[in-house]
Amino acid sequence: MITTVTLNAAIDKTYYLPSFPLGKVSRVQRFNAAPGGKGINVAKVVAQLGVPVTATGFVGGMNGEIIKQQLTRMGIAHDFVSVEGESRICLNILDEEHGTSTELLEPGPTVSEAALEEMKQRIRDLASRSQIVCLSGSLPAGAPKDYYVELVQIAKEAGAYVILDASGDALRHGIEAKPHMIKPNEEEVAALLDIEVADEEALRNAVETLLHKYEMERISVSLGGAGSLTAVKDGCYRVTTPKVEVVNTVGCGDSFVAGMAVSLARKLSLEDGLAMASAAGTSNAMTEQAGQIDPAVFEQLRKQVQMVRL
């Protein structure tokens, strides 16, 4: 089983507008809403790839109930910790005329000390029954900046392979617990080492430095439409993905993590895992909803992913 952790779960709403002029009234003709937050997006793609998954995290209020109900309808198991307050809504406004995406992200509820302790036990229980634990996204209000340190340690002690996909202080502290894998972008790699990354060679050197400093097994760096760079103990892989018509980039990184988690659960080779992860991320970019892939398109893309060992 794979467990995904979303400490700041959300309802993701996407509005599709012919144009989005500021300071004027816009009437939405088409929209969709789905349970979201980075870990939940991972769970949705894992389920579509045919691996058992359980989603956990914090949910609150009526929005929290809607998140759980919709996951149940999707056939995704969940085991959330309920908190006071209302789970957030994350709004993505797509301007079709200009091809822009504008995101409005609510903060979500403040989590109590008791809920934080309950989550630690929930992670301990789920990790003991899971091959992979994916910790994704921002920390909720009320959580200490080093909260991921404790969760990574708990999951590792329970015997799970731990993937951490966070940013800012949550990532900076979280890597101190030495997760098995992280998935930063270029800016986050530079920030972790407090350096400037001028080109791909510098990025490769920085990623290798991080890998060995924190004794991780792999680091995958998203390069957007240009693909990704993955470092492991015995080298680096530069992955190039096929050019596609991009519909929505929200959730592509989460889909990449899902593909990587599934490949690890299935004990695929690193090369096959990178192809699976890259195809999942690219397939997500071609759909309107975050955490959504087309199985037929995914299989086609997986055959077209190219990689070079550096």
Side-chain angles (χ1 to χ4, degrees):
M1 185 178 74
I2 294 172
T3 291
T4 70
V5 182
T6 312
L7 298 179
N8 212 354
I11 295 174
D12 284 344
K13 297 187 75 172
T14 304
Y15 290 167
Y16 301 88
L17 298 172
S19 64
F20 181 47
L22 296 179
K24 296 190 176 183
V25 174
S26 295
R27 299 190 182 279
V28 179
Q29 300 297 321
R30 187 165 67 93
F31 75 95
N32 61 50
K38 291 179 69 63
I40 288 177
N41 290 338
V42 174
K44 289 189 287 188
V45 176
V46 168
Q48 290 167 71
L49 291 174
V51 172
V53 62
T54 296
T56 189
F58 296 116
V59 293
M62 288 303 300
N63 287 344
E65 291 302 312
I66 292 171
I67 290 169
K68 292 190 290 185
Q69 290 170 8
Q70 291 193 346
L71 286 174
T72 298
R73 291 194 192 104
M74 294 176 182
I76 297 174
H78 51 82
D79 190 6
F80 289 98
V81 173
S82 296
V83 298
E84 294 185 6
E86 198 70 41
S87 288
R88 61 192 179 136
I89 291 177
C90 294
L91 181 61
N92 184 18
I93 303 170
L94 298 180
D95 182 329
E96 296 171 340
E97 178 182 350
H98 299 97
T100 60
S101 169
T102 302
E103 293 187 81
L104 304 175
L105 312 179
E106 294 181 359
T110 298
V111 179
S112 68
E113 183 64 34
L116 292 170
E117 290 299 317
E118 186 176 350
M119 177 55 64
K120 292 178 192 177
Q121 185 57 49
R122 197 66 52 92
I123 298 296
R124 186 174 290 108
D125 293 342
L126 288 168
S128 68
R129 295 181 274 123
S130 301
Q131 291 174 282
I132 318 292
V133 172
C134 301
L135 301 159
S136 304
S138 61
L139 295 172
K145 293 180 179 180
D146 62 353
Y147 190 55
Y148 272 137
V149 173
E150 296 181 86
L151 298 189
V152 170
Q153 290 172 338
I154 288 169
K156 287 176 64 179
E157 288 169 1
Y161 186 105
V162 181
I163 301 174
L164 175 63
D165 183 14
S167 59
D169 286 339
L171 175 60
R172 184 181 298 277
H173 288 287
I175 59 174
E176 296 292 339
K178 302 176 181 177
H180 296 94
M181 175 184 166
I182 60 172
K183 194 202 69 62
N185 58 29
E186 289 183 75
E187 292 76 18
E188 289 160 353
V189 170
L192 286 171
L193 294 172
D194 196 21
I195 61 171
E196 290 188 7
V197 176
D199 52 33
E200 279 201 22
E201 183 178 357
L203 176 63
R204 174 186 171 186
N205 292 334
V207 171
E208 289 179 334
T209 297
L210 274 178
L211 186 83
H212 296 296
K213 179 179 180 180
Y214 292 100
E215 301 175 11
M216 289 179 278
E217 292 190 10
R218 65 181 69 176
I219 299 176
S220 289
V221 181
S222 171
L223 301 175
S228 64
L229 178 73
T230 294
V232 293
K233 293 178 181 178
D234 60 352
C236 279
Y237 289 79
R238 179 64 171 88
V239 177
T240 304
T241 52
K243 300 296 182 184
V244 299
E245 183 175 345
V246 175
V247 176
N248 181 14
T249 60
V250 178
C252 291
D254 306 325
S255 300
F256 182 99
V257 170
M260 190 64 74
V262 168
S263 75
L264 288 162
R266 290 178 174 167
K267 304 188 186 308
L268 302 183
S269 68
L270 176 60
E271 291 86 349
D272 287 343
L274 289 171
M276 174 173 279
S278 302
T282 305
S283 179
N284 181 91
M286 300 170 67
T287 66
E288 292 187 344
Q289 294 188 41
Q292 184 73 32
I293 63 172
D294 181 314
V297 171
F298 164 78
E299 289 298 336
Q300 292 175 357
L301 292 171
R302 185 155 62 148
K303 298 172 185 175
Q304 299 173 44
V305 173
Q306 298 181 343
M307 67 188 74
V308 177
R309 183 170 178 175
L310 303 176

